[in-house]
Amino acid sequence: MPTNFTVVPVEARADAAQAPDGGDEEAGWLGAQGCPEGHAGPEPASPTRSWSPAGDGTPREASPFISNADVDREMFSEGKNMALFEEEMDSNPMVSSLLNKLANYTNLSQGVVEHEEAEDSRRKEVKTPHMGTFIGVYLPCLQNILGVILFLRLTWIVGVAGVLESLLIVSLCCACTMLTTISMSAIATNGVVPAGGSYYMISRSLGPEFGGAVGLCFYLGTTFAGAMYILGTIEIFLTYISPSVAVFRADTAGGEATAMLHNMRVYGTCTLALMAAVVFVGVKYVNKLALVFLACVVLSILAIYAGVIKTAFDPPYIPVCLLGNRTLSWRNFDACAKLVANSSVPTTLWGLFCNGSSADACDAYFTRNNLSVIQGIPGVASGVLLDNLWSTYLDKGSFVEKEGVVSVPVPEEAAAGARPYVLTDILTHFTLLVGIYFPSVTGIMAGSNRSGDLRDAQKSIPTGTIMAIVTTSFIYLSCIVLFGACIEGVVLRDKFGEALQGKLVIGMLAWPSPWVIVIGSFFSTCGAGLQSLTGAPRLLQAIARDGIVPFLQVFGHGKANGEPTWALLLTALICEIGILIASLDSVAPILSMFFLMCYMFVNLACAVQTLLRTPNWRPRFKYYHWTLSFLGMSLCLALMFICSWYYALCAMLIAGCIYKYIEYRGAEKEWGDGIRGLSLNAARYALLRVEHGPPHTKNWRPQVLVMLTLDEEQAVKHPRLLSFTAQLKAGKGLTIVGAVLEGTYLDKHTEAQRAEENIRSLMSVEKAKGFCQLVVSASLRDGTSHLIQSAGLGGMKHNTVLMAWPDAWRQSDNPFSWKNFVDTVRDATAAQQALLVAKNVSLFPQNQERLGGGNIDVWWVVHDGGMLMLLPFLLRQHKVWRKCRMRIFTVAQVDDNSIQMKKDLQVFLYHLRISAEVEVVEMVENDISAFTYEKTLMMEQRSQMLKQMQLSKNERQREAQLIHDRNTASHSAVAAKTQAPPTPDRVQMTWTKEKLVAEKHKVKDANMAGFKDIFSLKPNQSNVRRMHTAVKLNGVVLSRSQDAQLVLLNMPGPPKNRQGDENYMEFLEVLTEGLNRVLLVRGGGREVITIYS
């Protein structure tokens, strides 16, 4: 971010004599307002293109930073300093006026259109975003990542997969989210990310089709996440807090699982209705409770670590009853023994395995194996880690057995489900565990979803999200090792804590009480469910309001304050589907699919943008690479099929159907996305797609038409112009090299072929990749106009004209050569194309040169759509200019606030992601010097003399033609006399010597009178003011940029009155006098650079 600013007042020339001002002051610059205080619409990256007539009658695209109402107001500032640019004042604002309002731009917090419009009258009272990295990104991500899976399933995953494979599962999932975060950080820091978060980033990077498909998948994932959190809440409540409140009871042996599912459905539906009512009443209540829920998560994790530390010297006594090597469910018996101590009375456990007091009526396995009690949590120093290193995958209904314990096998048992054994409830394998675990690492988008509330989103989102991933990855990895080192394997594999008398396994490890974990996990899952039910409807509302899916538009409406009522209703209905599934282990892989698909396309978006290298792709986050994005995308795709290949196919089918529907029926949107950029390489299909209109500002790059001049041998006069083109383009985009031969094509086709071969060979030498287009025309003027109008094909047309300054415009042998130049300027303006004029092009560096340093100086006088900002950035991508620094000079008038201009320009450059040193130069209002009067007088005298010389030349031509006509008539008369009878002559055709001398003296006297009038001229006051601007600006530029490697300067437009064209050339010559390399830049009437992502 630029921080070096210098305000330099420019004093009047001390050695110049002062002259009276004279004449009326001419209108100055048009005042303009900046960007309104926030974009209320869902598409701030695509400003409405409104057109206003320019000074030369050419429509210009309105800047998104300029208010049209203020343009119509025509607030002119009086003064002489900017008179040279007055032709631009009705279409382009002064830089000082533009920057004056940039400070009003704000990142409004996340909201909706109606609500923001209703609050428009109170906009000034809205507080600016104030959340930092820790509060705004780190803690929300922490709360979303740590949740239900950690408390309810992580111990079971460690027991089934073993410590090593559990570490592999967590590493795969964390690597996936870390790579996705790197890609997301690049996208999020590539300009201002308005409220909308991940959906906004994906849709604006990959287009409406991919954006809509992935956005809806992300919405479904968030909705099913809400269902998962609600199911987790009910599981904690019914299993560990109050099992007695269950509505359904098991009537038969083995019916507990079915009854539990029915209870989950009933209580889950009631909880969903309650949560939806809370969200409907007001989001503010959810936000107020967020800190409480987060505190529950943090305290629970601290309790786990405290419990682990305590087990090192004082492990808790938690007995586990084994029958042989099988784990028993310690629910319906009090003692792990067959007989009461010191007696022959059977225990309660005996009655669960036997039908009577006799051993013959007992279960065979119960009879042959002994009961034993082991320590469920032996502690971190017990060495149990070695036993838990390897996986133990089991079929559904299998016994949870302890390895290494003696057991007497028995024949197949038919009634195992009726006995108090701990049995597995599902078939377990590695891929299933990946699908169940992956939701525990989702939540990395929490920071980007709050982008509108952040003080500096471009800094906070990458830092906070990466910190949160590192923290949570450490927590998960350390918990896996600690669980494996502290807890017995059979207890780890006991999903619902049946061996622990129905207590939560991780709760028994915690200190000081198991209830810390139970209550903490209950409230954290409640909070996560509320957050999902809050975020999902807003995501659906954003998609509906974008208008890309027509049948969803009804969900874009809401209450008067903008709350998404209809979207909340649909979210609750979809969430109910997940609750009816009723199994946490079945819902988790479903939402894993949708989140993985979302993350996959985030990585794809970053990879596409990086490979395309669009000029707008300038992320502040530099630690990304397309290979990392591609690796993240591949890992997401692999995890989708690892989790569940049929779920993955279903999710991709859903996304594909949505994609095709949006493509077929959806509203056409142009968001400057990367897929549109790729389509430029798809020939016919791409040409038809981009034919509809100009590209989006984010995809805009200079598509250059290079106008070359040829000598008599059809060789290029300025080969350095092609070198500069190659440096500017770096092989990207469209380059058309044009040239004109005077004559007719039938006569000049051989020379045209030779000239085209010369141009192509020079393009190859200069590494200028593009197309050559040579035109043979009756005049140079017509040929140039034809090229500007017709070069290119379809959407592959140029938008910028590059030409060399006509150095010989003052030579007497061709005094009107500048006419072609001025007309070319007018043609480019009429065609709404940017114009670049390279002065002293022979001094420009070749491609083999390497500038070791120096500055590229930008003199920003008129806002030209951002061309002056974009060109140095593109040049510095090339090796020739890479080591040059960029400096921006802007001119402040007497009434401008220089300090405020510095601050506004700082904000503007920061949002553009462009680092540059900035100087604000104050133009002091002073009298016009005698030097300026003298310069103007000489210019006008020369102009008049050229006109007189041209008049004399024309008269001589007319005289010669008159003599030729009279001689022809005389000869015809003599020939007629010899063939016809004599007739009296009616016309005297004699041309005597005396008459010739008299006619010459007459012309000479007229010419002398004209030349006498020249030296009695008084300079025109308008020309004096223009010359004053040129002289003063030239002095300022020379004082700051004489040693610069390149100077970029706004090019004033030609005068409306064509009589002053020759003076226009003189003004440009004075403006650039004494500078080595100059690039005059004239915008094409549209924005070419944007602060948005």
Side-chain angles (χ1 to χ4, degrees):
M1 182 173 174
T3 54
N4 301 325
F5 296 95
T6 308
V7 181
V8 185
V10 180
E11 304 296 340
R13 295 176 56 149
D15 56 343
Q18 300 299 321
D21 190 359
D24 297 329
E25 296 292 332
E26 240 180 52
W29 283 99
L30 182 63
Q33 298 295 321
C35 182
E37 289 187 45
H39 281 281
E43 178 41 49
S46 299
T48 303
R49 294 184 175 94
S50 56
W51 298 85
S52 57
D56 50 6
T58 305
R60 297 293 181 88
E61 185 177 10
S63 166
F65 306 111
I66 308 303
S67 170
N68 291 332
D70 294 323
V71 172
D72 295 336
R73 211 173 289 148
E74 296 191 357
M75 297 165 56
F76 295 104
S77 60
E78 300 294 333
K80 304 177 287 290
N81 285 334
M82 293 296 112
L84 179 59
F85 293 88
E86 64 187 6
E87 302 293 344
E88 317 289 282
M89 66 188 178
D90 54 355
S91 59
N92 293 332
M94 280 194 62
V95 172
S96 57
S97 302
L98 172 75
L99 294 176
N100 187 37
K101 297 298 179 181
L102 276 176
N104 292 331
Y105 176 79
T106 59
N107 259 351
L108 285 183
S109 58
Q110 188 164 350
V112 290
V113 179
E114 286 89 344
H115 182 57
E116 290 171 342
E117 289 176 351
E119 297 291 326
D120 189 60
S121 60
R122 291 179 287 173
R123 243 351 130 76
K124 294 182 180 179
E125 300 176 7
V126 176
K127 293 182 179 179
T128 57
H130 61 280
M131 296 180 102
T133 302
F134 187 75
I135 298 295
V137 179
Y138 180 74
L139 291 182
C141 286
L142 213 64
Q143 181 182 3
N144 279 266
I145 294 174
L146 300 173
V148 62
I149 301 297
L150 170 65
F151 299 120
L152 295 184
R153 292 293 182 269
L154 189 59
T155 54
W156 174 71
I157 291 173
V158 174
V160 174
V163 172
L164 296 181
E165 291 189 22
S166 298
L167 291 175
L168 177 61
I169 292 172
V170 173
S171 299
L172 280 174
C173 296
C174 291
C176 175
T177 55
M178 178 60 79
L179 292 172
T180 304
T181 300
I182 292 173
S183 300
M184 182 192 72
S185 300
I187 298 174
T189 58
N190 186 50
V192 179
V193 179
S198 53
Y199 163 69
Y200 180 90
M201 290 189 294
I202 297 171
S203 60
R204 270 56 174 183
S205 297
L206 291 178
E209 293 88 358
F210 276 108
V214 180
L216 285 175
C217 286
F218 188 57
Y219 162 74
L220 292 174
T222 307
T223 304
F224 275 101
M228 183 189 73
Y229 291 129
I230 292 175
L231 290 175
T233 302
I234 303 305
E235 182 177 314
I236 294 171
F237 180 72
L238 291 178
T239 307
Y240 307 113
I241 296 179
S242 182
S244 60
V245 300
V247 177
F248 296 91
R249 303 284 181 180
D251 296 330
T252 59
E256 292 88 352
T258 304
M260 184 64 180
L261 292 179
H262 291 322
N263 286 318
M264 297 280 281
R265 293 183 180 107
V266 172
Y267 278 96
T269 302
C270 296
T271 305
L272 173 63
L274 180 62
M275 288 186 175
V278 172
V279 174
F280 177 78
V281 169
V283 183
K284 59 182 179 180
Y285 301 109
V286 179
N287 294 332
K288 287 180 180 179
L289 292 173
L291 192 59
V292 177
F293 298 143
L294 177 62
C296 293
V297 175
V298 175
L299 289 175
S300 300
I301 293 172
L302 292 177
I304 293 171
Y305 282 111
V308 170
I309 295 173
K310 181 177 179 295
T311 62
F313 54 86
D314 185 19
Y317 178 69
I318 301 175
V320 175
C321 186
L322 298 181
L323 177 61
N325 63 353
R326 298 176 183 177
T327 310
L328 296 182
S329 175
W330 203 325
R331 287 181 181 271
N332 299 318
F333 60 92
D334 50 0
C336 183
K338 296 181 180 180
L339 301 174
V340 177
N342 301 323
S343 70
S344 59
V345 179
T347 61
T348 307
L349 183 60
W350 179 285
L352 297 176
F353 282 93
C354 303
N355 295 325
S357 59
S358 172
D360 297 334
C362 292
D363 180 81
Y365 189 84
F366 180 78
T367 305
R368 297 182 184 183
N369 290 275
N370 295 322
L371 291 168
S372 60
V373 177
I374 62 172
Q375 171 68 296
I377 302 181
V380 71
S382 64
V384 74
L385 177 64
L386 297 176
D387 298 331
N388 294 329
L389 285 178
W390 311 109
S391 61
T392 308
Y393 296 115
L394 300 171
D395 293 330
K396 182 178 179 180
S398 300
F399 299 105
V400 175
E401 299 176 339
K402 178 174 172 55
E403 296 180 1
V405 176
V406 178
S407 173
V408 180
V410 294
E412 190 73 21
E413 300 170 76
R419 307 304 181 188
Y421 292 119
V422 177
L423 304 175
T424 56
D425 61 333
I426 57 174
L427 171 67
T428 55
H429 46 84
F430 179 81
T431 57
L432 173 72
L433 298 184
V434 174
I436 292 175
Y437 173 77
F438 187 80
S440 65
V441 296
T442 60
I444 60 174
M445 300 290 188
S448 63
N449 290 339
R450 294 170 177 243
S451 57
D453 298 324
L454 300 175
R455 185 187 307 116
D456 187 354
Q458 296 188 3
K459 178 182 177 182
S460 297
I461 289 176
T463 307
T465 308
I466 291 175
M467 285 173 53
I469 288 181
V470 171
T471 304
T472 53
S473 299
F474 171 77
I475 291 173
Y476 280 124
L477 293 171
S478 62
C479 282
I480 287 173
V481 176
L482 294 176
F483 291 164
C486 293
I487 305 175
E488 182 62 50
V490 292
V491 177
L492 288 173
R493 289 187 288 277
D494 184 4
K495 183 187 292 186
F496 301 108
E498 295 176 81
L500 306 181
Q501 300 178 6
K503 295 177 182 177
L504 183 62
V505 175
I506 195 173
M508 301 304 292
L509 177 65
W511 181 87
S513 169
W515 287 102
V516 175
I517 297 293
V518 173
I519 301 300
S521 60
F522 177 78
F523 281 112
S524 69
T525 50
C526 277
L530 282 172
Q531 293 286 349
S532 298
L533 289 179
T534 303
R538 278 158 180 75
L539 181 58
L540 179 62
Q541 187 181 47
I543 298 172
R545 285 186 169 168
D546 271 344
I548 57 177
V549 184
F551 70 84
L552 289 179
Q553 291 184 1
V554 65
F555 299 107
H557 305 291
K559 294 193 294 186
N561 63 350
E563 291 298 322
T565 307
W566 293 106
L568 176 61
L569 180 60
L570 179 64
T571 301
L573 292 176
I574 297 176
C575 193
E576 177 64 19
I577 296 174
I579 289 175
L580 292 178
I581 295 174
S583 172
L584 183 69
D585 301 324
S586 300
V587 173
I590 297 176
L591 64 99
S592 294
M593 291 301 109
F594 294 124
F595 278 120
L596 280 168
M597 182 169 292
C598 175
Y599 296 165
M600 180 176 70
F601 281 100
V602 169
N603 287 292
L604 175 62
C606 182
V608 166
Q609 298 278 24
T610 306
L611 291 174
L612 283 179
R613 297 180 184 176
T614 54
N616 188 63
W617 180 246
R618 302 185 300 277
R620 288 195 173 277
F621 182 79
K622 301 299 182 184
Y623 305 102
Y624 71 95
H625 195 267
W626 69 268
T627 53
L628 294 177
S629 301
F630 186 79
L631 179 61
M633 181 181 67
S634 304
L635 187 56
C636 288
L637 185 62
L639 284 175
M640 286 178 66
F641 283 92
I642 286 174
C643 293
S644 175
W645 64 268
Y646 47 89
Y647 278 169
L649 291 178
C650 290
M652 296 176 73
L653 179 63
I654 293 172
C657 292
I658 298 172
Y659 178 95
K660 297 306 292 183
Y661 177 81
I662 295 174
E663 187 180 47
Y664 177 66
R665 292 290 305 275
E668 292 184 2
K669 298 286 182 180
E670 175 54 60
W671 287 331
D673 51 86
I675 298 300
R676 295 297 184 272
L678 282 176
S679 67
L680 293 175
N681 299 320
R684 175 183 175 276
Y685 177 75
L687 287 173
L688 293 175
R689 290 293 299 268
V690 298
E691 181 82 30
H692 297 301
H696 191 276
T697 302
K698 293 187 294 184
N699 277 339
W700 196 96
R701 65 167 77 239
Q703 317 283 19
V704 180
L705 170 63
V706 186
M707 301 299 301
L708 296 180
T709 53
L710 306 174
D711 57 17
E712 293 77 13
E713 302 298 326
Q714 285 76 47
V716 178
K717 286 186 178 180
H718 301 295
R720 297 286 181 97
L721 206 59
L722 284 178
S723 303
F724 182 73
T725 304
Q727 295 157 19
L728 180 66
K729 299 293 292 179
K732 302 294 180 182
L734 174 68
T735 301
I736 301 174
V737 180
V740 180
L741 277 179
E742 290 187 88
T744 60
Y745 185 75
L746 292 177
D747 299 331
K748 295 283 188 178
H749 69 276
T750 304
E751 290 85 349
Q753 290 178 356
R754 183 164 62 249
E756 191 166 344
E757 290 174 1
N758 293 339
I759 293 173
R760 290 186 187 279
S761 62
L762 184 61
M763 290 173 63
S764 177
V765 171
E766 298 296 343
K767 298 180 180 179
K769 300 177 181 178
F771 308 96
C772 176
Q773 191 162 350
L774 189 137
V775 172
V776 180
S777 179
S779 67
L780 185 65
R781 164 78 187 89
D782 291 338
T784 304
S785 179
H786 295 160
L787 276 177
I788 292 176
Q789 295 177 60
S790 60
L793 174 64
M796 295 291 286
K797 291 184 68 68
H798 62 280
N799 54 33
T800 304
V801 178
L802 173 63
M803 59 190 303
W805 175 262
D807 294 319
W809 72 273
R810 283 176 171 168
Q811 291 183 5
S812 57
D813 59 341
N814 190 13
F816 288 87
S817 63
W818 45 265
K819 206 59 164 149
N820 290 331
F821 176 83
V822 178
D823 287 338
T824 302
V825 174
R826 286 197 172 99
D827 286 345
T829 303
Q832 302 167 19
Q833 295 171 5
L835 179 65
L836 310 179
V837 179
K839 196 166 184 288
N840 301 326
V841 70
S842 58
L843 301 178
F844 277 54
Q846 291 182 326
N847 290 329
Q848 295 77 19
E849 296 180 38
R850 300 290 182 268
L851 300 178
N855 300 311
I856 299 177
D857 287 354
V858 176
W859 284 85
W860 194 23
V861 181
V862 177
H863 179 59
D864 57 350
M867 282 288 291
L868 284 170
M869 303 294 173
L870 186 62
L871 293 176
F873 170 79
L874 295 177
L875 282 175
R876 291 180 63 207
Q877 307 302 305
H878 197 271
K879 297 177 182 178
V880 174
W881 304 90
R882 186 164 295 164
K883 294 184 179 179
C884 294
R885 297 180 303 275
M886 183 177 170
R887 297 193 301 179
I888 298 178
F889 298 84
T890 188
V891 178
Q893 297 297 294
V894 176
D895 297 331
D896 292 330
N897 186 343
S898 301
I899 304 300
Q900 189 61 39
M901 282 183 66
K902 289 187 294 183
K903 294 180 181 179
D904 295 342
L905 184 55
Q906 180 182 14
V907 173
F908 187 48
L909 289 177
Y910 180 76
H911 285 314
L912 287 177
R913 293 92 66 202
I914 292 178
S915 298
E917 183 181 349
V918 176
E919 289 190 23
V920 179
V921 180
E922 293 182 343
M923 292 285 284
V924 179
E925 187 81 21
N926 57 0
D927 293 333
I928 299 174
S929 64
F931 173 80
T932 301
Y933 271 91
E934 179 183 357
K935 197 86 173 174
T936 309
L937 187 60
M938 291 174 59
M939 175 188 70
E940 294 188 352
Q941 288 176 349
R942 180 180 180 278
S943 176
Q944 287 295 104
M945 191 174 297
L946 288 174
K947 288 181 180 178
Q948 292 292 344
M949 291 170 60
Q950 182 68 5
L951 183 61
S952 302
K953 179 180 178 181
N954 291 340
E955 289 181 354
R956 287 197 301 272
Q957 291 174 348
R958 285 199 300 271
E959 182 66 34
Q961 185 64 34
L962 181 60
I963 294 172
H964 177 269
D965 292 341
R966 288 180 176 176
N967 286 338
T968 303
S970 177
H971 288 301
S972 299
V974 171
K977 270 183 186 181
T978 60
Q979 300 176 2
T983 58
D985 294 337
R986 296 182 179 181
V987 181
Q988 178 63 39
M989 300 301 295
T990 307
W991 187 259
T992 63
K993 182 178 180 180
E994 289 78 15
K995 288 182 180 180
L996 180 61
V997 173
E999 191 70 19
K1000 285 183 178 179
H1001 280 291
K1002 179 180 178 182
V1003 174
K1004 184 177 180 181
D1005 292 340
N1007 289 342
M1008 291 303 296
F1011 286 123
K1012 286 179 182 179
D1013 292 337
I1014 290 173
F1015 295 103
S1016 62
L1017 277 175
K1018 288 186 178 180
N1020 181 276
Q1021 292 304 316
S1022 176
N1023 288 337
V1024 169
R1025 282 191 291 272
R1026 293 169 186 265
M1027 184 62 74
H1028 177 70
T1029 301
V1031 170
K1032 285 209 67 177
L1033 268 181
N1034 178 254
V1036 173
V1037 175
L1038 277 177
S1039 65
R1040 299 286 174 271
S1041 305
Q1042 190 167 16
D1043 297 327
Q1045 299 289 6
L1046 179 64
V1047 176
L1048 286 85
L1049 187 64
N1050 283 118
M1051 181 179 181
K1056 298 176 184 177
N1057 183 7
R1058 294 177 178 267
Q1059 299 300 321
D1061 284 358
E1062 62 274 13
N1063 298 336
Y1064 173 70
M1065 298 295 292
E1066 191 69 40
F1067 294 141
L1068 294 182
E1069 192 72 56
V1070 172
L1071 181 64
T1072 58
E1073 192 173 9
L1075 298 172
N1076 294 329
R1077 302 186 188 112
V1078 182
L1079 188 66
L1080 294 172
V1081 180
R1082 182 165 170 78
R1086 61 164 293 157
E1087 292 296 316
V1088 302
I1089 196 168
T1090 177
I1091 67 173
Y1092 295 109
S1093 173

